[in-house]
Amino acid sequence: MKKHLMSILSVFILLSLVFVAFPVWAGNGEEEAPLPAEEPIVEPEGPRRGGTIHFARDSEPATLNPIGANDNASIFALVQIFDTLVESTHAPDPQPAIAESWKVSDGGLTWTFKLRKARFSNGDPVTAEDVKFSIDRFADPDVNSFYAGFGAMIESTEIIDASTFRINLHTVNGAFLDYLSTFIPSIIPKKIYQEMGDEAFSEKPIGSGPFKVTEWTRGEKLILDRNPYYWKEGLPYVDRIIFYYVPDSNTRMLRVESGEAHIATEVPYSEIDRLDAIRGINVVIEDVMAWDAIWFNIRIPPLDDKNIRQALNYATPKEAMLKTLLHGAGDIANHVIAKVKYWDPSVPAYPYDMDKAKALMAKSKRPSGFSMPMLIVAGDPVERQQAEIVQAEWAKLGVKITIDAVDVGTIWDRWLSSEEMCFTLPGNALSSDALSDDNLALVFFDFTAGAQSFWTGWNNPKAIELVQKAGKTVDEDVRTEAFHEVQRLVMEEAPAVPLFFTKARTAIQDSVKGFSTLPVKWWNLEDVWLEE
Amino acid sequence: MFAYIGRRIVQAIPVLITVTLVAFALIHLIPGDPVKIMLASRATPEAIATVRHQLGLDRPLPIQYVRFLLGALRMDFGNSLFLRAPIGPILRQRALVSLALLCYSILVSLVIAVPLAILSAIRRNRPTDHIVRMFSTFAFAMPAFWTGLLLVLFFSLRLKLFPTSGLGSGPINYIRSLTLPSITIGFYLAPVLLRSLRASVIETLIAEFVEAARARGLSERRVLFKHVLRNSLIAMITVLGINVGFLISGAVVIENIFALPGLGSLLVSSILARDYPVIQALTLVFGITVIVVNLLVDLSYAALDPRVRL
């Protein structure tokens, strides 16, 4: 009997050891956790080559395939691996990348690109054939199902010669080049993609971007190494970037504090000051094309009354919310979408003015107020506090808000049903995918474009006309004027309460140089280097 | 005994089918649609229709369920909607992390619980007992995310003994990286085991056969370990079995705090994304785990208690 007991015990211990140790044998023990970097005092002369950047992110990529990706976690990794014809930088317009230069003819219908001599990370040259293959996939709504609208204007593509490629459009589109600078038309090697198949390519793709995929362990980390064939001379500076997936924000910040990571994204608002005060750590706060707003369904009474919508705008204390909730990391929004290319800074935001709000309420259909539920995302403390402040302030107008906190999936389901009156998303949920306003304008202002003005039901013929007019021309003046007018119109009509233009908040070690967040929210990590 | 195991496996089949069916029905009954989540602000009716068709979500639900069951029989769970990759390898990789964490945590809890329980029981109502009981109440009352953060602040930031989070590579670093999470779970699990073991040791200490063993002149040590402990283990193993079933899916908080890619965090993220195939596959895996653990617990009764015949 004793033997039995002993054997059970030993089997258990053996099993424990096997399970604890097995993954170790299975995994390949490549890189070590980084040593905490002590900050050097002397500034070296210029960028230093070499080193590994440990980068802690809040979310993990779902796929590494440019077609099929639709989440920021995937997108921000993809842009490190792939090149596009033109690329998104800090400039207001896309810059040359695989396309050295381009010519527009036929009043904007024909785009002829001169291709650069570049190589994929396996050494193969980037050919016109690869470019055509990639752009054709981008233009096919059945392949590019997530962003079909971005490539919908393409009629055909043709290879003129080995270094000349042409795209013919069936309709002029003012944002065409901006759409080409997104991650979706990334140039992929046709032959390799076809040999590997879509599934395998999505796991370990080959691109011509600054970095190449070395190892990807889902849920844990993505290791990217320098692409030795990258066309930008001398770049990237670092040998390796390791992205870690650290969902808990406290833990993510601890990674930087302990020196285990050089960079950690999405610093919680309440942690900005504390982290910034730590020696050797810097919190950088940068403008990106993201924003936060409370959305109304203006088809449901009494929200169909403009007086009420404006009153609620005046009754929202944005200044105070910005200071207490966002710790200053944002700007008060004077537009219901992000600050994109054609943003007009001169349009006034709604100030906090209870008297005006009460006067507007008195003029409205429901002078004594009404009740409505507000959908928010559960589990986000900032969202909750924001909703509670709004609830308290709007109550002064007799508008009783019941906060309905649900998960994101439920929010989309209920908001898209058009039966809800009011909802808001966390400040990092909405952002622009392209450098110009068109992609957002079609969703938020053009009721006929499919999303019913973001399901607010704002069906304004003038706004629709302006968005379409701006979209169908490459004339910058016409586009600027049209989008400025839409901005004034939508602020006046107020299908939403715009709150803030939110910002990127990143904690970085002092040893990291050249880091910046682009307006499109990702980073050109090829420019980053590490001090000794 | 083999006949018994065979019978239990046959009994498990309807249980598993019911579990997957209930999970399938529930996940489709709650609001939320994976396609709308993926498309978000771009969810125009045409886009929804195209993506739904591409993902096979436009097929009737009973057909989707039957396809899942047929696939599961061949251990093929299909592709994740959101991760756009086969589910099998993802599950395998994460199950290893979960199992490693589980075994390490059980080891930690047993190391804490068994000696303290015995000590506490033989020194019943004396200061030692009170201290142990205070410790166990305190440890049990600490929320896991709090314990975890405190451990990290002290052992990782201050002493730099362990990494703050993540999985280390290489045998030593792997075990090091699992140490703080295992202690965190151990802090929750040990008091549960400790209390049940202490109670049954106390009960056994006054049993007649213990009296008889002492009368036969056996040493106190021999009485304690050979007769008392062995007869007291059954209750603790039962409690452990229940908790193992819970921990394999419920270590979400720990996995998130320590950025460990286990099954629990996958379950939460796939529920949030309404990733139906992953949820179904996980339900099946958890169902099988609970059944297997229960079977093992029952088998251990037979090994520990000669009166139990299978």
Side-chain angles (χ1 to χ4, degrees), chain A residues 1 5 8 23-24 31-32 62 70 142 145-147 199 203 217-218 220 247 251 255 258 260 407 409-410 413 455, chain B residues 32 36-38 42-43 54 79 82-85 93 157 163-167 169 171 173-174 230 256-257 274 303-304:
Chain A
M1 276 306 135
L5 180 62
I8 285 179
V24 176
E31 85 302 334
E32 288 285 305
N70 65 330
D142 288 327
S145 49
F146 284 122
Y147 294 87
E199 215 165 74
E203 298 279 324
T217 320
R218 279 183 185 271
E220 198 194 338
T251 312
R255 281 274 175 109
S258 68
E260 287 167 81
D407 78 309
T410 310
D413 211 38
W455 301 274
Chain B
K36 288 178 191 161
I37 295 170
M38 281 189 260
R42 294 180 310 275
Q54 279 177 351
N79 277 21
F82 182 70
L83 302 175
R84 308 199 137 221
Q93 177 207 332
L157 276 192
T164 55
S165 58
L167 269 184
S169 19
N173 282 333
Y174 192 87
R230 178 153 176 201
N256 262 338
I257 292 175
R274 306 291 190 276
L304 287 170

Short mmCIF file of all heavy atoms in Angstrom, two decimals, chain A residues 1 5 8 23-24 31-32 62 70 142 145-147 199 203 217-218 220 247 251 255 258 260 407 409-410 413 455, chain B residues 32 36-38 42-43 54 79 82-85 93 157 163-167 169 171 173-174 230 256-257 274 303-304:
data_model
loop_
_atom_site.label_atom_id
_atom_site.label_comp_id
_atom_site.label_asym_id
_atom_site.label_seq_id
_atom_site.Cartn_x
_atom_site.Cartn_y
_atom_site.Cartn_z
N MET A 1 0.83 -1.21 0.00
CA MET A 1 0.00 0.00 0.00
C MET A 1 0.85 1.24 0.00
O MET A 1 0.61 2.19 -0.71
CB MET A 1 -0.89 0.02 1.25
CG MET A 1 -2.15 -0.77 1.07
SD MET A 1 -3.05 -0.24 -0.40
CE MET A 1 -3.46 -1.80 -1.13
N LEU A 5 1.15 4.56 -2.71
CA LEU A 5 1.13 5.99 -2.41
C LEU A 5 2.38 6.65 -2.98
O LEU A 5 2.33 7.67 -3.63
CB LEU A 5 1.07 6.19 -0.90
CG LEU A 5 1.05 7.65 -0.45
CD1 LEU A 5 -0.18 8.34 -1.00
CD2 LEU A 5 1.06 7.73 1.07
N ILE A 8 2.25 6.94 -6.73
CA ILE A 8 1.37 8.02 -7.19
C ILE A 8 2.06 9.37 -7.03
O ILE A 8 2.10 10.19 -7.94
CB ILE A 8 0.05 8.02 -6.40
CG1 ILE A 8 -0.82 6.87 -6.90
CG2 ILE A 8 -0.71 9.33 -6.58
CD1 ILE A 8 -2.13 6.75 -6.18
N PRO A 23 8.20 22.65 -22.26
CA PRO A 23 8.20 23.77 -23.21
C PRO A 23 9.58 24.38 -23.38
O PRO A 23 9.88 24.97 -24.39
CB PRO A 23 7.24 24.78 -22.55
CG PRO A 23 6.44 23.99 -21.58
CD PRO A 23 7.33 22.88 -21.13
N VAL A 24 10.40 24.22 -22.37
CA VAL A 24 11.76 24.74 -22.45
C VAL A 24 12.53 24.02 -23.52
O VAL A 24 13.22 24.62 -24.34
CB VAL A 24 12.45 24.53 -21.09
CG1 VAL A 24 13.87 24.98 -21.17
CG2 VAL A 24 11.69 25.25 -20.02
N GLU A 31 16.94 34.49 -27.21
CA GLU A 31 17.39 35.76 -26.62
C GLU A 31 17.13 35.81 -25.13
O GLU A 31 16.21 35.20 -24.62
CB GLU A 31 16.75 36.94 -27.36
CG GLU A 31 15.38 37.34 -26.89
CD GLU A 31 14.40 36.20 -26.99
OE1 GLU A 31 14.62 35.30 -27.83
OE2 GLU A 31 13.46 36.18 -26.22
N GLU A 32 17.97 36.55 -24.46
CA GLU A 32 17.88 36.73 -23.03
C GLU A 32 17.01 37.93 -22.73
O GLU A 32 16.86 38.81 -23.56
CB GLU A 32 19.28 37.00 -22.49
CG GLU A 32 20.18 35.77 -22.51
CD GLU A 32 19.81 34.81 -21.40
OE1 GLU A 32 19.79 35.23 -20.25
OE2 GLU A 32 19.55 33.63 -21.71
N ALA A 62 -2.91 39.80 -35.04
CA ALA A 62 -3.74 38.64 -35.37
C ALA A 62 -3.17 37.94 -36.58
O ALA A 62 -3.24 36.72 -36.72
CB ALA A 62 -5.16 39.09 -35.64
N ASN A 70 -6.80 43.88 -39.80
CA ASN A 70 -7.72 45.01 -39.60
C ASN A 70 -7.62 45.56 -38.19
O ASN A 70 -8.44 46.35 -37.77
CB ASN A 70 -9.16 44.59 -39.91
CG ASN A 70 -9.64 43.55 -38.93
OD1 ASN A 70 -8.85 42.77 -38.42
ND2 ASN A 70 -10.91 43.54 -38.64
N ASP A 142 -13.28 41.33 -53.30
CA ASP A 142 -13.49 40.03 -52.67
C ASP A 142 -12.25 39.58 -51.90
O ASP A 142 -12.35 38.80 -50.95
CB ASP A 142 -13.83 38.98 -53.74
CG ASP A 142 -15.25 39.21 -54.25
OD1 ASP A 142 -16.10 39.67 -53.45
OD2 ASP A 142 -15.49 38.98 -55.45
N SER A 145 -11.51 42.48 -48.48
CA SER A 145 -12.90 42.69 -48.04
C SER A 145 -13.01 43.66 -46.87
O SER A 145 -14.05 44.28 -46.69
CB SER A 145 -13.54 41.34 -47.69
OG SER A 145 -12.70 40.62 -46.83
N PHE A 146 -11.95 43.81 -46.09
CA PHE A 146 -12.04 44.71 -44.94
C PHE A 146 -11.96 46.18 -45.34
O PHE A 146 -12.53 47.04 -44.68
CB PHE A 146 -10.93 44.41 -43.93
CG PHE A 146 -11.18 43.18 -43.12
CD1 PHE A 146 -10.28 42.13 -43.12
CD2 PHE A 146 -12.33 43.07 -42.36
CE1 PHE A 146 -10.52 40.99 -42.38
CE2 PHE A 146 -12.58 41.94 -41.61
CZ PHE A 146 -11.67 40.90 -41.62
N TYR A 147 -11.21 46.48 -46.38
CA TYR A 147 -11.03 47.87 -46.79
C TYR A 147 -11.34 48.02 -48.27
O TYR A 147 -10.59 48.66 -49.01
CB TYR A 147 -9.60 48.33 -46.52
CG TYR A 147 -9.22 48.41 -45.06
CD1 TYR A 147 -8.74 47.29 -44.39
CD2 TYR A 147 -9.35 49.60 -44.35
CE1 TYR A 147 -8.38 47.35 -43.05
CE2 TYR A 147 -8.99 49.67 -43.01
CZ TYR A 147 -8.51 48.54 -42.36
OH TYR A 147 -8.16 48.62 -41.04
N GLU A 199 -2.14 31.05 -45.86
CA GLU A 199 -2.05 30.78 -44.42
C GLU A 199 -0.60 30.84 -43.92
O GLU A 199 -0.31 31.50 -42.92
CB GLU A 199 -2.63 29.40 -44.14
CG GLU A 199 -3.35 29.34 -42.83
CD GLU A 199 -4.20 28.07 -42.78
OE1 GLU A 199 -3.60 27.00 -42.62
OE2 GLU A 199 -5.44 28.17 -42.91
N GLU A 203 1.79 33.85 -41.47
CA GLU A 203 2.53 33.55 -40.25
C GLU A 203 3.97 34.04 -40.36
O GLU A 203 4.55 34.51 -39.38
CB GLU A 203 2.56 32.04 -39.98
CG GLU A 203 1.21 31.41 -39.77
CD GLU A 203 0.67 31.60 -38.35
OE1 GLU A 203 1.46 31.57 -37.40
OE2 GLU A 203 -0.55 31.79 -38.22
N THR A 217 5.82 34.11 -31.91
CA THR A 217 5.11 33.23 -30.98
C THR A 217 3.83 33.95 -30.60
O THR A 217 3.87 34.96 -29.90
CB THR A 217 5.93 32.98 -29.71
OG1 THR A 217 7.29 32.81 -30.08
CG2 THR A 217 5.43 31.76 -28.98
N ARG A 218 2.73 33.45 -31.11
CA ARG A 218 1.44 34.11 -30.85
C ARG A 218 1.19 34.28 -29.36
O ARG A 218 1.49 33.39 -28.59
CB ARG A 218 0.31 33.28 -31.45
CG ARG A 218 0.13 33.49 -32.93
CD ARG A 218 -1.06 32.69 -33.41
NE ARG A 218 -1.18 32.78 -34.85
CZ ARG A 218 -1.86 33.75 -35.45
NH1 ARG A 218 -2.46 34.68 -34.75
NH2 ARG A 218 -1.95 33.76 -36.77
N GLU A 220 2.68 36.02 -27.37
CA GLU A 220 3.85 36.30 -26.56
C GLU A 220 4.75 37.36 -27.17
O GLU A 220 4.87 38.46 -26.66
CB GLU A 220 4.60 35.00 -26.33
CG GLU A 220 5.56 35.07 -25.18
CD GLU A 220 6.52 33.89 -25.21
OE1 GLU A 220 6.20 32.86 -25.82
OE2 GLU A 220 7.61 34.03 -24.63
N PRO A 247 -0.72 42.73 -22.07
CA PRO A 247 -2.05 43.35 -22.07
C PRO A 247 -2.33 44.24 -20.85
O PRO A 247 -2.98 45.26 -20.98
CB PRO A 247 -3.01 42.16 -22.09
CG PRO A 247 -2.22 41.00 -21.59
CD PRO A 247 -0.80 41.26 -21.98
N THR A 251 1.45 46.15 -15.71
CA THR A 251 2.58 45.26 -16.00
C THR A 251 3.45 45.82 -17.11
O THR A 251 4.67 45.75 -17.06
CB THR A 251 2.04 43.88 -16.41
OG1 THR A 251 1.05 43.48 -15.48
CG2 THR A 251 3.13 42.86 -16.46
N ARG A 255 7.47 46.90 -17.03
CA ARG A 255 8.52 46.43 -17.94
C ARG A 255 9.55 47.52 -18.21
O ARG A 255 10.75 47.27 -18.27
CB ARG A 255 7.91 46.02 -19.29
CG ARG A 255 7.25 44.69 -19.32
CD ARG A 255 8.27 43.61 -19.62
NE ARG A 255 7.66 42.31 -19.52
CZ ARG A 255 7.41 41.53 -20.57
NH1 ARG A 255 7.74 41.90 -21.77
NH2 ARG A 255 6.85 40.36 -20.40
N SER A 258 11.48 48.42 -14.86
CA SER A 258 12.49 47.45 -14.46
C SER A 258 13.64 47.40 -15.46
O SER A 258 14.62 46.71 -15.24
CB SER A 258 11.85 46.07 -14.34
OG SER A 258 11.48 45.63 -15.63
N GLU A 260 13.33 46.09 -18.41
CA GLU A 260 13.16 44.94 -19.30
C GLU A 260 12.72 45.35 -20.70
O GLU A 260 12.88 44.60 -21.65
CB GLU A 260 12.14 43.96 -18.72
CG GLU A 260 12.65 43.18 -17.53
CD GLU A 260 11.52 42.48 -16.82
OE1 GLU A 260 11.10 41.42 -17.28
OE2 GLU A 260 11.04 43.03 -15.80
N ASP A 407 -19.65 45.02 -23.27
CA ASP A 407 -18.39 44.80 -23.98
C ASP A 407 -18.48 45.34 -25.40
O ASP A 407 -19.57 45.62 -25.91
CB ASP A 407 -18.00 43.31 -23.95
CG ASP A 407 -18.79 42.49 -24.94
OD1 ASP A 407 -20.02 42.60 -24.92
OD2 ASP A 407 -18.19 41.75 -25.74
N GLY A 409 -18.15 44.12 -28.33
CA GLY A 409 -18.95 43.37 -29.29
C GLY A 409 -20.42 43.72 -29.19
O GLY A 409 -21.12 43.90 -30.19
N THR A 410 -20.90 43.83 -27.96
CA THR A 410 -22.31 44.17 -27.75
C THR A 410 -22.57 45.61 -28.20
O THR A 410 -23.62 45.90 -28.78
CB THR A 410 -22.66 44.02 -26.25
OG1 THR A 410 -22.22 42.74 -25.83
CG2 THR A 410 -24.14 44.16 -26.01
N ASP A 413 -22.94 45.69 -31.96
CA ASP A 413 -24.20 45.05 -32.35
C ASP A 413 -25.38 45.98 -32.11
O ASP A 413 -26.24 46.14 -32.96
CB ASP A 413 -24.37 43.77 -31.53
CG ASP A 413 -25.13 42.71 -32.29
OD1 ASP A 413 -24.90 42.62 -33.51
OD2 ASP A 413 -25.94 42.00 -31.68
N TRP A 455 -23.94 55.61 -38.21
CA TRP A 455 -25.21 55.21 -37.60
C TRP A 455 -25.79 56.30 -36.69
O TRP A 455 -26.62 56.03 -35.84
CB TRP A 455 -25.07 53.88 -36.86
CG TRP A 455 -24.63 52.81 -37.80
CD1 TRP A 455 -25.44 52.05 -38.60
CD2 TRP A 455 -23.29 52.40 -38.09
NE1 TRP A 455 -24.68 51.21 -39.39
CE2 TRP A 455 -23.36 51.40 -39.09
CE3 TRP A 455 -22.03 52.79 -37.64
CZ2 TRP A 455 -22.22 50.78 -39.61
CZ3 TRP A 455 -20.90 52.18 -38.16
CH2 TRP A 455 -21.00 51.18 -39.13
N GLY B 32 -23.75 40.52 -30.17
CA GLY B 32 -22.38 40.64 -30.65
C GLY B 32 -22.18 39.78 -31.88
O GLY B 32 -22.76 38.71 -31.99
N LYS B 36 -19.04 42.31 -37.30
CA LYS B 36 -19.21 43.72 -36.97
C LYS B 36 -18.05 44.21 -36.10
O LYS B 36 -17.62 45.34 -36.22
CB LYS B 36 -20.53 43.94 -36.24
CG LYS B 36 -21.74 43.81 -37.17
CD LYS B 36 -23.03 43.98 -36.39
CE LYS B 36 -24.22 43.59 -37.25
NZ LYS B 36 -25.40 43.31 -36.42
N ILE B 37 -17.55 43.35 -35.22
CA ILE B 37 -16.43 43.75 -34.38
C ILE B 37 -15.20 44.00 -35.24
O ILE B 37 -14.49 44.98 -35.07
CB ILE B 37 -16.14 42.68 -33.31
CG1 ILE B 37 -17.32 42.57 -32.36
CG2 ILE B 37 -14.86 43.00 -32.54
CD1 ILE B 37 -17.26 41.39 -31.42
N MET B 38 -14.97 43.11 -36.21
CA MET B 38 -13.79 43.25 -37.06
C MET B 38 -13.90 44.47 -37.96
O MET B 38 -12.95 45.20 -38.15
CB MET B 38 -13.61 41.99 -37.91
CG MET B 38 -12.97 40.85 -37.16
SD MET B 38 -12.54 39.52 -38.27
CE MET B 38 -13.89 38.41 -38.00
N ARG B 42 -16.34 50.42 -40.44
CA ARG B 42 -16.46 50.14 -41.88
C ARG B 42 -17.54 49.09 -42.16
O ARG B 42 -17.60 48.54 -43.26
CB ARG B 42 -15.12 49.66 -42.45
CG ARG B 42 -14.04 50.70 -42.43
CD ARG B 42 -12.76 50.15 -42.99
NE ARG B 42 -12.43 48.86 -42.38
CZ ARG B 42 -11.77 48.74 -41.23
NH1 ARG B 42 -11.36 49.80 -40.60
NH2 ARG B 42 -11.51 47.55 -40.75
N ALA B 43 -18.39 48.81 -41.16
CA ALA B 43 -19.36 47.72 -41.28
C ALA B 43 -20.57 48.12 -42.13
O ALA B 43 -21.69 48.19 -41.65
CB ALA B 43 -19.80 47.27 -39.89
N GLN B 54 -17.08 34.96 -46.46
CA GLN B 54 -15.69 34.46 -46.47
C GLN B 54 -15.39 33.60 -45.25
O GLN B 54 -14.65 32.63 -45.32
CB GLN B 54 -14.71 35.64 -46.47
CG GLN B 54 -14.50 36.25 -47.84
CD GLN B 54 -13.59 37.45 -47.81
OE1 GLN B 54 -13.23 37.95 -46.74
NE2 GLN B 54 -13.21 37.93 -48.97
N ASN B 79 -10.26 27.18 -38.37
CA ASN B 79 -9.48 28.40 -38.22
C ASN B 79 -10.15 29.39 -37.29
O ASN B 79 -11.38 29.46 -37.23
CB ASN B 79 -9.30 29.08 -39.59
CG ASN B 79 -8.15 28.48 -40.36
OD1 ASN B 79 -7.73 27.36 -40.10
ND2 ASN B 79 -7.63 29.23 -41.30
N PHE B 82 -10.66 35.51 -35.89
CA PHE B 82 -9.94 36.75 -35.66
C PHE B 82 -8.44 36.58 -35.94
O PHE B 82 -7.82 37.42 -36.56
CB PHE B 82 -10.17 37.21 -34.22
CG PHE B 82 -9.50 38.51 -33.91
CD1 PHE B 82 -9.97 39.68 -34.48
CD2 PHE B 82 -8.41 38.56 -33.06
CE1 PHE B 82 -9.35 40.88 -34.20
CE2 PHE B 82 -7.79 39.76 -32.79
CZ PHE B 82 -8.26 40.93 -33.36
N LEU B 83 -7.86 35.47 -35.49
CA LEU B 83 -6.42 35.26 -35.67
C LEU B 83 -6.11 34.74 -37.07
O LEU B 83 -4.96 34.68 -37.47
CB LEU B 83 -5.88 34.29 -34.62
CG LEU B 83 -6.09 34.72 -33.17
CD1 LEU B 83 -5.64 33.65 -32.21
CD2 LEU B 83 -5.33 36.01 -32.89
N ARG B 84 -7.14 34.32 -37.79
CA ARG B 84 -7.00 33.88 -39.18
C ARG B 84 -5.93 32.80 -39.32
O ARG B 84 -5.11 32.82 -40.23
CB ARG B 84 -6.69 35.07 -40.09
CG ARG B 84 -7.69 36.17 -39.89
CD ARG B 84 -7.72 37.14 -41.02
NE ARG B 84 -9.10 37.45 -41.35
CZ ARG B 84 -9.57 37.56 -42.57
NH1 ARG B 84 -8.80 37.38 -43.60
NH2 ARG B 84 -10.83 37.85 -42.77
N ALA B 85 -5.92 31.87 -38.40
CA ALA B 85 -4.94 30.79 -38.43
C ALA B 85 -5.58 29.56 -37.81
O ALA B 85 -6.56 29.68 -37.08
CB ALA B 85 -3.70 31.20 -37.64
N GLN B 93 0.13 25.30 -28.06
CA GLN B 93 1.18 26.14 -27.51
C GLN B 93 0.72 26.76 -26.19
O GLN B 93 1.47 26.83 -25.22
CB GLN B 93 1.51 27.20 -28.55
CG GLN B 93 2.53 28.21 -28.14
CD GLN B 93 2.30 29.51 -28.88
OE1 GLN B 93 1.78 29.52 -29.99
NE2 GLN B 93 2.68 30.61 -28.26
N LEU B 157 11.27 44.33 -9.11
CA LEU B 157 11.80 45.70 -9.20
C LEU B 157 12.88 45.94 -8.16
O LEU B 157 13.92 46.51 -8.47
CB LEU B 157 10.67 46.70 -9.00
CG LEU B 157 9.83 47.06 -10.22
CD1 LEU B 157 8.97 48.26 -9.93
CD2 LEU B 157 10.71 47.33 -11.43
N PRO B 163 11.91 38.15 -13.64
CA PRO B 163 11.39 39.14 -14.58
C PRO B 163 10.01 39.63 -14.12
O PRO B 163 9.30 38.89 -13.43
CB PRO B 163 11.31 38.38 -15.90
CG PRO B 163 11.24 36.96 -15.52
CD PRO B 163 12.00 36.82 -14.24
N THR B 164 9.62 40.84 -14.51
CA THR B 164 8.32 41.36 -14.07
C THR B 164 7.17 40.61 -14.73
O THR B 164 6.11 40.45 -14.13
CB THR B 164 8.17 42.85 -14.43
OG1 THR B 164 8.39 42.99 -15.83
CG2 THR B 164 9.15 43.71 -13.67
N SER B 165 7.36 40.16 -15.96
CA SER B 165 6.28 39.46 -16.64
C SER B 165 6.85 38.78 -17.88
O SER B 165 8.02 38.92 -18.18
CB SER B 165 5.19 40.44 -17.05
OG SER B 165 5.75 41.43 -17.89
N GLY B 166 5.99 38.05 -18.57
CA GLY B 166 6.41 37.40 -19.81
C GLY B 166 7.02 36.02 -19.55
O GLY B 166 7.22 35.63 -18.41
N LEU B 167 7.28 35.32 -20.65
CA LEU B 167 7.88 33.98 -20.56
C LEU B 167 9.35 34.07 -20.91
O LEU B 167 9.70 34.67 -21.92
CB LEU B 167 7.20 33.06 -21.58
CG LEU B 167 5.99 32.26 -21.14
CD1 LEU B 167 5.56 31.36 -22.28
CD2 LEU B 167 6.27 31.44 -19.90
N SER B 169 13.06 32.54 -22.07
CA SER B 169 13.48 31.43 -22.93
C SER B 169 14.69 30.77 -22.31
O SER B 169 15.47 31.41 -21.61
CB SER B 169 13.76 31.91 -24.35
OG SER B 169 13.97 33.28 -24.38
N PRO B 171 15.72 26.95 -20.21
CA PRO B 171 15.10 26.28 -19.05
C PRO B 171 15.07 27.13 -17.79
O PRO B 171 14.03 27.28 -17.15
CB PRO B 171 15.98 25.05 -18.84
CG PRO B 171 16.80 24.91 -20.05
CD PRO B 171 16.80 26.20 -20.79
N ASN B 173 15.40 30.45 -17.33
CA ASN B 173 14.57 31.64 -17.43
C ASN B 173 13.09 31.31 -17.51
O ASN B 173 12.25 32.08 -17.06
CB ASN B 173 14.98 32.48 -18.65
CG ASN B 173 16.23 33.27 -18.37
OD1 ASN B 173 16.51 33.60 -17.22
ND2 ASN B 173 17.00 33.55 -19.41
N TYR B 174 12.79 30.17 -18.13
CA TYR B 174 11.39 29.76 -18.23
C TYR B 174 10.83 29.53 -16.83
O TYR B 174 9.77 30.03 -16.47
CB TYR B 174 11.30 28.49 -19.07
CG TYR B 174 9.90 28.13 -19.49
CD1 TYR B 174 9.36 28.65 -20.66
CD2 TYR B 174 9.12 27.27 -18.72
CE1 TYR B 174 8.08 28.33 -21.05
CE2 TYR B 174 7.83 26.94 -19.11
CZ TYR B 174 7.32 27.46 -20.28
OH TYR B 174 6.05 27.14 -20.67
N ARG B 230 -2.09 9.78 5.41
CA ARG B 230 -2.60 9.04 4.29
C ARG B 230 -4.13 9.01 4.30
O ARG B 230 -4.78 9.17 3.26
CB ARG B 230 -2.07 7.62 4.39
CG ARG B 230 -2.60 6.83 3.31
CD ARG B 230 -1.71 5.74 2.97
NE ARG B 230 -2.45 5.04 1.98
CZ ARG B 230 -2.24 3.82 1.65
NH1 ARG B 230 -1.28 3.18 2.22
NH2 ARG B 230 -2.97 3.27 0.75
N ASN B 256 -2.99 37.56 -17.38
CA ASN B 256 -2.94 38.94 -17.86
C ASN B 256 -1.89 39.76 -17.13
O ASN B 256 -1.14 40.48 -17.76
CB ASN B 256 -4.31 39.60 -17.71
CG ASN B 256 -5.08 39.57 -19.00
OD1 ASN B 256 -4.47 39.45 -20.08
ND2 ASN B 256 -6.38 39.68 -18.94
N ILE B 257 -1.87 39.63 -15.81
CA ILE B 257 -0.90 40.43 -15.05
C ILE B 257 0.52 40.07 -15.45
O ILE B 257 1.37 40.94 -15.58
CB ILE B 257 -1.07 40.18 -13.53
CG1 ILE B 257 -2.40 40.75 -13.07
CG2 ILE B 257 0.05 40.80 -12.74
CD1 ILE B 257 -2.68 40.43 -11.63
N ARG B 274 -15.87 37.49 -30.05
CA ARG B 274 -16.88 36.55 -30.55
C ARG B 274 -16.25 35.60 -31.58
O ARG B 274 -16.78 35.37 -32.65
CB ARG B 274 -18.06 37.26 -31.19
CG ARG B 274 -18.73 38.31 -30.33
CD ARG B 274 -19.49 37.68 -29.15
NE ARG B 274 -20.30 38.67 -28.47
CZ ARG B 274 -19.86 39.50 -27.53
NH1 ARG B 274 -18.60 39.42 -27.13
NH2 ARG B 274 -20.66 40.38 -26.96
N ALA B 303 -6.51 4.27 -4.73
CA ALA B 303 -5.13 4.01 -4.35
C ALA B 303 -4.90 4.33 -2.87
O ALA B 303 -4.12 3.67 -2.19
CB ALA B 303 -4.19 4.84 -5.22
N LEU B 304 -5.59 5.37 -2.40
CA LEU B 304 -5.36 5.81 -1.02
C LEU B 304 -6.15 5.01 -0.01
O LEU B 304 -5.71 4.78 1.11
CB LEU B 304 -5.71 7.30 -0.89
CG LEU B 304 -4.74 8.28 -1.53
CD1 LEU B 304 -5.32 9.67 -1.55
CD2 LEU B 304 -3.41 8.27 -0.79
#
